Amino acid sequence: MMILGIETSCDETGIALYEGSSNKIIFEALYSQAEKHNLYGGVVPELAARDHINRLLPLLKNKLDEEKIQINEIEAIAYTNGPGLRGPLMVGAGFANALSYSLDIPSIPIHHMEAHLIMAKFDSPQLDYPYVSLLVSGGHTLIVKVLSAEQYKVIGQTRDDAVGEAFDKTAKLLNLGYPGGPQIEKRALLSEDKYPFSFPRPMINSNDLDFSFSGLKTSVLYKVNDLKKENNLSENVINDIAHEFQNAAVDCLIEKTLRACHVEKSKSLVLSGGVAANKYLRKKLEEKKGNIKLYYPDLKHCTDNGLMIAFAGYQKIKQGRKNYFIEVTPRWSLENV
Ligand code: KG4
Ligand code: ZN
């Protein structure tokens, strides 16, 4: 079955055509608005929505032409229905539903985080339930026990900022641009670790599976303010701050994630979401995982993309889900407008 995935929850316009029965990507395309939002140090929802409107149709048309595929070869559409930014979500949902009506094919609403969570199965179909997943993105930091298809139990989460948000805010403090995660990772690699920075690892020893990242970000803020006053915020110092910030964030993620595997007696661990693209996090987990088997999507499928939505849509179809919907209001009192 040929299923088109559409992702517009934030600032990436992602599409992919996926052939489910052979697990094959027919095409995928991503238009990143990062440069546009970089000017503002973060995503501006209204700009993001307008840009999705401009990009979606050309992106799809170009790919269909390039691959010589007729639009009526598409057999179903999956689109991100939430969570995310309202305007950008509405653009994707409107586009998907209009296309589904005109082609007379199903349109399947997808939970963005569920799509991240199950994407590791695209490369590793042998991954078996139950498993534990560290689901880390710009808006979420969750440890999830995946019991079976569609049965998720959140067993740990952040009490304040998401870890991706902490990466982004720290990068903004250091003037490294948006999105911050890849910038911090790059600068950490350049660090010679000369300056003895030490940032806290909040909640690392707490007797639960939760996280807290706002204090870590605030310690960087205080340090940066002091260094600016002393006129000491050189490029080398920035590299060292990025290095220690990344170490602190990764230490917290690894401690609680491995504890979760231990508590749940899970032999499989899945890394998912944008922060799962961080190579230092992957390396450290590989070093410390013991006999736990580690799975993750390839780098480009960790951050937002159309394929994860198409892949999730295909799983829904395979599970026989029929509740594809467009919300309308058949009974609607005039007194309730
Ligand atoms: O999953 P994603 O693309 O979008 C959301 O659903 O939020 O995740 C984006 C987040 C951003 O906060 C970004 O800075 C972070 O993932 N990120 C990274 C890396 N690549 C993306 N964080 C750390 N290291 C990376 N290499
Ligand atoms: Zn995402």
Side-chain angles (χ1 to χ4, degrees):
M1 164 174 268
M2 294 271 249
I3 176 157
L4 177 70
I6 296 176
E7 159 58 33
T8 63
S9 66
C10 192
D11 61 336
E12 315 275 355
T13 316
I15 61 164
L17 189 61
Y18 168 68
E19 211 292 309
S21 33
S22 55
N23 197 33
K24 247 191 150 147
I25 306 170
I26 310 298
F27 65 66
E28 57 182 328
L30 189 75
Y31 173 79
S32 174
Q33 307 173 359
E35 221 174 285
K36 190 163 276 152
H37 300 288
N38 196 6
L39 282 174
Y40 305 92
V43 179
V44 182
E46 190 55 38
L47 282 182
R50 276 188 237 168
D51 216 23
H52 287 308
I53 295 176
N54 294 334
R55 303 290 168 183
L56 264 175
L57 194 55
L59 211 54
L60 179 60
K61 272 189 89 179
N62 285 346
K63 273 294 168 190
L64 289 172
D65 290 349
E66 228 174 87
E67 303 298 327
K68 299 191 174 36
I69 291 168
Q70 301 300 313
I71 196 157
N72 56 14
E73 289 178 56
I74 301 172
E75 293 169 271
I77 299 174
Y79 65 96
T80 304
N81 199 44
L85 301 171
R86 182 177 292 271
L89 284 170
M90 285 179 69
V91 174
F95 183 86
N97 284 317
L99 203 56
S100 112
Y101 265 142
S102 60
L103 296 173
D104 194 19
I105 55 177
S107 78
I108 307 154
I110 297 295
H111 190 295
H112 180 86
M113 300 313 291
E114 182 183 24
H116 274 306
L117 189 60
I118 63 178
M119 191 54 197
K121 269 184 172 285
F122 172 74
D123 290 314
S124 310
Q126 76 282 10
L127 168 61
D128 237 344
Y129 304 113
Y131 61 83
V132 165
S133 179
L134 174 67
L135 182 49
V136 272
S137 72
H140 294 78
T141 304
L142 303 172
I143 302 180
V144 183
K145 182 166 189 193
V146 181
L147 299 154
S148 61
E150 297 188 342
Q151 274 210 294
Y152 307 117
K153 190 165 172 224
V154 175
I155 54 175
Q157 59 193 307
T158 181
R159 303 251 178 111
D160 40 56
D161 290 356
V163 64
E165 188 183 352
F167 268 92
D168 292 337
K169 286 179 174 167
T170 301
K172 195 172 171 182
L173 277 174
L174 299 172
N175 239 337
L176 300 180
Y178 171 85
Q183 302 303 329
I184 296 269
E185 179 172 11
K186 228 185 274 168
R187 297 298 291 257
L189 278 173
L190 298 174
S191 165
E192 290 166 3
D193 207 6
K194 269 210 311 242
Y195 300 90
F197 295 122
S198 164
F199 296 132
R201 273 86 172 141
M203 291 186 68
I204 197 163
N205 293 317
S206 69
N207 201 14
D208 52 36
L209 300 174
D210 288 347
F211 304 98
S212 165
F213 290 104
S214 74
L216 170 57
K217 172 203 67 194
T218 308
S219 324
V220 179
L221 171 70
Y222 289 152
K223 182 50 82 184
V224 167
N225 286 346
D226 289 349
L227 288 163
K228 275 185 182 161
K229 269 189 222 142
E230 298 156 7
N231 218 3
N232 270 336
L233 194 64
S234 66
E235 293 304 311
N236 283 340
V237 168
I238 289 177
N239 295 342
D240 286 358
I241 293 177
H243 180 252
E244 169 60 5
F245 166 82
Q246 182 175 262
N247 280 354
V250 166
D251 282 351
C252 297
L253 292 175
I254 289 184
E255 171 68 28
K256 293 295 173 84
T257 305
L258 292 180
R259 196 184 300 173
C261 290
H262 180 72
V263 170
E264 297 296 335
K265 299 185 178 48
S266 178
K267 289 274 164 270
S268 306
L269 170 62
V270 170
L271 255 187
S272 49
V275 182
N278 186 283
K279 294 197 202 74
Y280 180 71
L281 171 63
R282 291 176 175 218
K283 182 174 152 251
K284 277 283 162 197
L285 262 178
E286 288 286 1
E287 281 170 21
K288 298 200 159 174
K289 69 184 173 56
N291 57 4
I292 294 167
K293 194 149 171 39
L294 196 55
Y295 298 86
Y296 24 63
D298 71 14
L299 284 180
K300 74 172 176 173
H301 294 137
C302 285
T303 44
D304 293 351
N305 64 89
L307 182 68
M308 69 183 203
I309 305 303
F311 182 72
Y314 182 65
Q315 309 311 308
K316 302 281 170 209
I317 290 172
K318 265 202 321 198
Q319 288 148 17
R321 289 280 296 274
K322 290 279 188 284
N323 60 338
Y324 313 138
F325 60 82
I326 297 176
E327 289 261 349
V328 293
T329 316
R331 284 169 183 271
W332 195 358
S333 157
L334 185 58
E335 289 171 355
N336 252 338
V337 287

